Amino acid sequence: MKFKAKGIIPPIVTPFADDGSINEPVFKDVIEFLLDGGVHGIFPMGTTGEYYALSEDEYKRVLEITVESVNGRVPVYAGCNDITTRGAIRLVKLAEKAGVDAISVLTPMFISQTQDELYAYFKTIAESTAVPIILYNNKPKTNVHIEPSTVAKLAEIENIVAVKDSTGDFTVAAEYIRLTRNNDNFAVLMGRDTLIHAGLCHGAAGAIASCANVAPRVVADIYDKYVAGDIAGSLDAQFKLSPLRIASAMGTFPAAIKEGMNIVGMPVGKCLEPIAELTSTEKEKLRAVINDMGLLERKN
């Protein structure tokens, strides 16, 4: 059966100890916390996981822990992001060896590619592996945009199975959906947590949602209630989540996501430097949002 990218997939944070090493026991606890919250996949080494800050050995270890801990309960998606084609393929091979179910590939950053170059980039990577590939468009971070027509063309490649849209521009997501709607093997995943319900209504298959690290059950409810036909319940869950996503813009990403996890009792520590902690005022604002969501009740 062909792999289907769907549901709520948290791009899991990477917990660090005070010395900057990976906090493996906490990482395993986070995986269980997310699975207990009803998520439909686990995604290490995405932007939220600070993939850019880890060595190759640390990258391999994170994938090993994830695959071992998840143990087939949900699909594991691995970020394989690099500026060069050969660099991305090197990470793809490491992810293959770790036994992940799918990989996500971000557009190269720093350089500004043409659409033809982007097509060749993703096509070459797809030809290097049999693992399903999710295209990752995050123009706000990379200043590189995969045009809808390019996504539609890439969707014709057998093992390119989805695109994650983190532009925050719903017109882009809608065009991805419109142009690929007759391709049963391709899915559109939302990458902006405030737009998950809207995306589902429009035909998206789910979301790669950073706020699911903090509130997995709330985010999973957006999807689960929608597919169960409880559209109003799905929208209620979206409205419950949205203040958290808006608050997560405080500080340098993903500092607010990590602080939110610390607040709800998952001691994931800080981001690696140069990312700083939230200020005391920002922490209090974030705590108030999380308290209003009822996420502190389980700690009392």
Side-chain angles (χ1 to χ4, degrees):
M1 183 178 295
K2 189 170 179 67
F3 180 86
K4 297 289 186 181
K6 62 181 181 178
I8 300 303
I9 306 150
I12 187 170
V13 303
T14 306
F16 295 113
D18 290 342
D19 64 359
S21 62
I22 298 167
N23 191 328
E24 296 190 9
V26 171
F27 189 49
K28 294 174 184 178
D29 288 344
V30 170
I31 291 172
E32 295 305 317
F33 171 66
L34 297 177
L35 293 175
D36 288 346
V39 303
H40 309 93
I42 298 289
F43 178 5
M45 292 292 91
T47 309
T48 312
E50 299 173 77
Y51 77 87
Y52 46 79
L54 273 65
S55 69
E56 189 169 292
D57 286 342
E58 289 171 324
Y59 176 86
K60 290 190 290 187
R61 183 59 185 147
V62 165
L63 297 191
E64 288 168 0
I65 295 169
T66 307
V67 172
E68 291 169 5
S69 298
V70 171
N71 194 27
R73 287 176 284 177
V74 296
V76 173
Y77 300 67
C80 297
N81 309 314
D82 198 275
I83 292 177
T84 65
T85 306
R86 67 179 184 179
I89 291 173
R90 184 181 70 253
L91 295 177
V92 167
K93 296 306 176 184
L94 295 177
E96 278 183 347
K97 187 174 181 180
V100 305
D101 298 287
I103 58 176
S104 167
V105 182
L106 180 64
T107 56
M109 60 192 74
F110 185 71
I111 54 178
S112 298
Q113 306 89 55
T114 66
Q115 293 301 301
D116 286 344
E117 287 170 331
L118 281 175
Y119 177 81
Y121 177 74
F122 287 113
K123 181 176 183 289
T124 302
I125 293 169
E127 290 172 344
S128 77
T129 182
V131 177
I133 293 173
I134 290 88
L135 312 172
Y136 181 10
N137 185 24
N138 193 343
K139 184 181 178 182
K141 293 291 186 186
T142 66
N143 202 35
V144 176
H145 178 55
I146 316 176
E147 294 288 349
S149 58
T150 304
V151 167
K153 187 178 175 184
L154 286 164
E156 297 173 2
I157 297 171
E158 184 177 6
N159 63 326
I160 295 182
V161 300
V163 62
K164 175 191 177 184
D165 175 42
S166 292
T167 63
D169 182 344
F170 195 74
T171 298
V172 172
E175 278 297 278
Y176 286 167
I177 294 166
R178 183 181 72 85
L179 292 176
T180 63
R181 68 192 185 281
N182 295 322
N183 185 339
D184 293 336
N185 295 321
F186 192 81
V188 176
L189 301 170
M190 303 306 296
R192 185 61 60 90
D193 295 4
T194 48
L195 298 175
I196 300 170
H197 176 82
L200 293 171
C201 290
H202 220 72
I208 297 176
S210 60
C211 287
N213 282 282
V214 182
R217 185 63 264 166
V218 175
V219 188
D221 276 347
I222 302 172
Y223 179 82
D224 288 343
K225 292 187 177 186
Y226 184 86
V227 298
D230 182 4
I231 308 305
S234 171
L235 182 58
D236 284 344
Q238 178 70 80
F239 286 157
K240 185 176 183 179
L241 175 70
S242 291
L244 176 61
R245 174 59 183 87
I246 293 166
S248 73
M250 292 189 295
T252 298
F253 191 84
I257 299 295
K258 280 196 159 178
E259 181 60 28
M261 296 188 74
N262 291 328
I263 289 170
V264 300
M266 298 303 299
V268 298
K270 302 181 249 185
C271 297
L272 292 180
E273 294 180 347
I275 298 176
E277 290 185 78
L278 299 188
T279 66
S280 58
T281 299
E282 289 170 334
K283 288 180 181 181
E284 286 307 309
K285 287 180 180 178
L286 182 59
R287 177 176 287 274
V289 169
I290 290 171
N291 186 54
D292 287 345
M293 295 174 70
L295 299 180
L296 299 185
E297 294 173 2
R298 69 183 186 89
K299 297 176 65 181
N300 297 334

